[in-house]
Amino acid sequence: MMQQRWNRRKTHLHLLALLFVFFMVFTILHNEHSIRQIHENSDPESHRQDASISFVKPNVLISRNGASEILDRFSKCNGTRDYSGRKVSWSGRKPESNRRKVRSETCDVFSGKWVFDNTSYPLYNESECPYMSDQLACHKHGRTDLRYQYWRWQPHGCNLKKWNIAEMWEKLRGKRLMFVGDSLNRGQWISMVCLLQSVIPADKKSMSPNAPLTIFRAEEYNATIEFLWAPLLVESNSDDPVNHRLDERIIRPDSVLKHSSEWEHADILVFNTYLWWRQGPVKLLWSAEENGACEELDGREAMELVMTTWADWVAARAIPLKKRVFFVTMSPTHLWSREWELESEGNCYDEKTPIELESYWGSGSDQPTMRIVEKVVNKLSSEVTVLNITQLSEYRKDGHPSIYRKFWEELSPQQLSNPASYSDCIHWCLPGVPDVWNELLFHFL
């Protein structure tokens, strides 16, 4: 009898021990889950999806009737409604650390001043580059003051790597270097071609006709320097390199697939986008929208959607394939001389010297947009290099074509009587400022 009573008590003890173990395991797991949730919710970089916001997965190929619908300059919105608030979802890989990798040098090559140097500059002659654009050939179109060609960028406390044509060609041997973006990036592409083409024999180099993708080839290096017209990075109705001045700008904010089908084969990619987002609201036509209805959103918010879509592609394709990716920050405009000369009423017209006030910042550069770029690029780890050309270019009010370029539209007598009224204070003369952008690219390659 005593033995049976002891066995029952022993069984109860075993059950109590098991229950205690289960309780402890449950408590530990529950606490770990709670701690993880607290950590995720307190992490500002964590990817949270608010239940009240609709998220769209980017860069998904959607076809109807067996074919994808491509936007072109004839595309129209089938009605426009208010922006729904939906966002682009991106689950790209997290950075390896909270800080971008720093080169062994401690000097900030983007902080410095312009030094007049008519010994080393210009790095090429305008008239000797057969690929020069009439939009950028200022001397050819009447500019007699050529001091804009002789300024060298001098960082504080260090030097830029000295430009070397032979070394740059060796870096490009067997590779495709592609500039992707708007007319400012096209100017940087033309600059790079002019910087490099002189050492290639005439029968060993060629340029394809102007097209969305334009290619300069150097046979002996088995290399190309290319430009892809994609001013908004994502697919848009402005993707024609010539006929893109449209009353209604329509984009697919969640897809770069049209353009990435071209750029994904390049080895070195140089992206930019900025000015086209400052031209009023844009229409959003989401890829999954079957009825062709658009939403309207202001440019800066639309650009943030697009940068996320671009980052999704870079994280998924460029980084795993070890491509070199560069992003060029905004190119400033100089539309109001009162910003550097109080009470004046002009713009960049007839300006002959750089701005000397260090840390000058004009309204032609939008700092909130810079922060958007920084926020997105920082999530891509250190494998995207930012070429921060904005402030160094801010100083160069003298570097724009102004009236010294080809204008494709006929100018009125009223305009001709007031040169500042039609001055181009957006693009840059060549040789000039974009050559320094390419020296920076060479420095970081």
Side-chain angles (χ1 to χ4, degrees):
M1 180 67 69
M2 287 291 294
Q3 182 67 33
Q4 289 178 346
R5 193 177 295 124
W6 168 248
N7 286 339
R8 284 198 297 271
R9 185 179 299 168
K10 190 176 179 181
T11 301
H12 290 158
L13 288 172
H14 285 162
L15 287 173
L16 286 171
L18 285 172
L19 286 171
F20 178 77
V21 170
F22 282 129
F23 174 76
M24 291 300 295
V25 170
F26 175 79
T27 301
I28 291 169
L29 291 175
H30 177 73
N31 287 341
E32 284 184 352
H33 178 71
S34 299
I35 291 169
R36 187 162 56 247
Q37 279 193 319
I38 291 170
H39 175 73
E40 289 174 354
N41 290 336
S42 64
D43 180 4
E45 295 300 320
S46 65
H47 186 68
R48 299 190 302 272
Q49 295 190 355
D50 191 320
S52 65
I53 298 175
S54 171
F55 283 84
V56 176
K57 184 173 176 58
N59 300 316
V60 175
L61 183 62
I62 296 175
S63 62
R64 298 184 181 90
N65 300 322
S68 58
E69 297 177 2
I70 299 296
L71 290 177
D72 58 30
R73 61 194 179 97
F74 303 107
S75 299
K76 298 292 182 184
C77 292
N78 184 20
T80 302
R81 55 180 177 240
D82 292 339
Y83 174 52
S84 63
R86 74 182 84 177
K87 301 290 185 181
V88 173
S89 171
W90 176 47
S91 55
R93 72 178 195 174
K94 294 179 76 68
E96 295 170 4
S97 68
N98 291 328
R99 294 185 301 174
R100 295 169 61 78
K101 290 178 184 174
V102 180
R103 289 167 59 91
S104 57
E105 62 192 10
T106 58
C107 179
D108 178 4
V109 294
F110 305 117
S111 176
K113 63 181 180 179
W114 291 94
V115 176
F116 190 77
D117 180 354
N118 59 0
T119 302
S120 305
Y121 289 77
L123 296 172
Y124 57 90
N125 292 319
E126 174 192 297
S127 61
E128 294 175 0
C129 180
Y131 311 106
M132 179 62 65
S133 165
D134 275 331
Q135 189 180 38
L136 312 175
C138 300
H139 182 45
K140 174 183 176 180
H141 289 278
R143 184 165 181 172
T144 56
D145 170 41
L146 301 182
R147 280 179 289 179
Y148 67 90
Q149 299 185 2
Y150 300 124
W151 294 95
R152 170 172 54 82
W153 178 246
Q154 178 60 57
H156 293 313
C158 62
N159 295 306
L160 270 181
K161 185 174 180 178
K162 187 175 177 59
W163 175 257
N164 185 298
I165 295 180
E167 184 179 347
M168 185 62 178
W169 272 122
E170 287 303 324
K171 291 176 183 295
L172 297 180
R173 184 181 290 277
K175 292 184 170 62
R176 295 177 63 179
L177 165 62
M178 185 183 293
F179 294 83
V180 180
D182 59 20
S183 58
L184 278 311
N185 221 15
R186 179 166 55 200
Q188 187 176 354
W189 165 70
I190 293 171
S191 162
M192 183 64 83
V193 171
C194 290
L195 283 164
L196 291 173
Q197 64 83 31
S198 63
V199 298
I200 308 297
D203 62 342
K204 299 293 184 180
K205 61 186 176 185
S206 63
M207 179 74 82
S208 67
N210 182 38
L213 179 63
T214 310
I215 304 172
F216 173 81
R217 301 180 189 276
E219 290 183 23
E220 59 188 288
Y221 288 94
N222 186 29
T224 60
I225 307 170
E226 310 177 27
F227 172 68
L228 178 66
W229 173 260
L232 298 158
L233 295 184
V234 292
E235 180 183 342
S236 79
N237 66 340
S238 300
D239 290 338
D240 188 303
V242 178
N243 300 306
H244 49 249
R245 295 188 177 183
L246 306 171
D247 294 332
E248 183 178 70
R249 187 157 295 143
I250 307 171
I251 66 169
R252 291 200 189 279
D254 57 338
S255 180
V256 300
L257 295 179
K258 175 185 175 184
H259 299 310
S260 66
S261 65
E262 297 283 0
W263 78 47
E264 68 180 352
H265 304 295
D267 302 285
I268 305 167
L269 286 159
V270 183
F271 293 95
N272 92 316
T273 189
Y274 168 55
L275 276 178
W276 282 52
W277 302 107
R278 289 171 62 88
Q279 300 177 20
V282 295
K283 302 293 179 69
L284 313 178
L285 182 57
W286 298 92
S287 296
E289 177 58 60
E290 296 185 3
N291 299 318
C294 296
E295 298 175 353
E296 188 169 88
L297 189 60
D298 76 80
R300 188 185 294 150
E301 289 183 276
M303 179 181 171
E304 185 164 12
L305 293 176
V306 164
M307 286 296 296
T308 305
T309 299
W310 169 81
D312 173 83
W313 185 89
V314 172
R317 299 288 298 160
I319 292 176
L321 294 176
K322 306 296 184 185
K323 297 179 184 295
R324 290 299 307 272
V325 180
F326 295 84
F327 193 93
V328 181
T329 61
M330 64 183 74
S331 172
T333 60
H334 292 90
L335 302 177
W336 297 282
S337 61
R338 62 179 177 269
E339 294 183 345
W340 60 83
E341 184 181 348
L342 293 177
E343 299 182 359
S344 62
E345 295 298 328
N347 52 24
C348 71
Y349 173 67
D350 208 29
E351 293 289 346
K352 296 181 173 63
T353 56
I355 294 169
E356 294 183 358
L357 176 63
E358 191 158 336
S359 300
Y360 167 81
W361 200 274
S363 61
S365 296
D366 184 57
Q367 295 190 56
T369 300
M370 289 279 281
R371 288 192 287 272
I372 289 172
V373 171
E374 183 180 19
K375 182 176 74 172
V376 173
V377 172
N378 278 346
K379 291 182 179 180
L380 289 170
S381 152
S382 59
E383 298 180 58
V384 173
T385 303
V386 174
L387 297 182
N388 189 354
I389 57 93
T390 305
Q391 190 151 70
L392 67 90
S393 305
E394 276 277 19
Y395 303 138
R396 293 301 307 277
K397 59 182 171 60
D398 62 309
H400 299 285
S402 180
I403 65 172
Y404 305 109
R405 52 159 286 189
K406 180 177 180 178
F407 290 92
W408 285 269
E409 304 85 4
E410 186 176 353
L411 299 169
S412 69
Q414 291 80 9
Q415 287 176 307
L416 291 171
S417 66
N418 180 16
S421 69
Y422 66 95
S423 287
D424 180 350
C425 300
I426 295 173
H427 301 95
W428 301 93
C429 297
L430 290 179
V433 174
D435 302 327
V436 173
W437 302 350
N438 282 321
E439 286 184 274
L440 288 163
L441 178 61
F442 173 67
H443 182 85
F444 284 102
L445 270 176

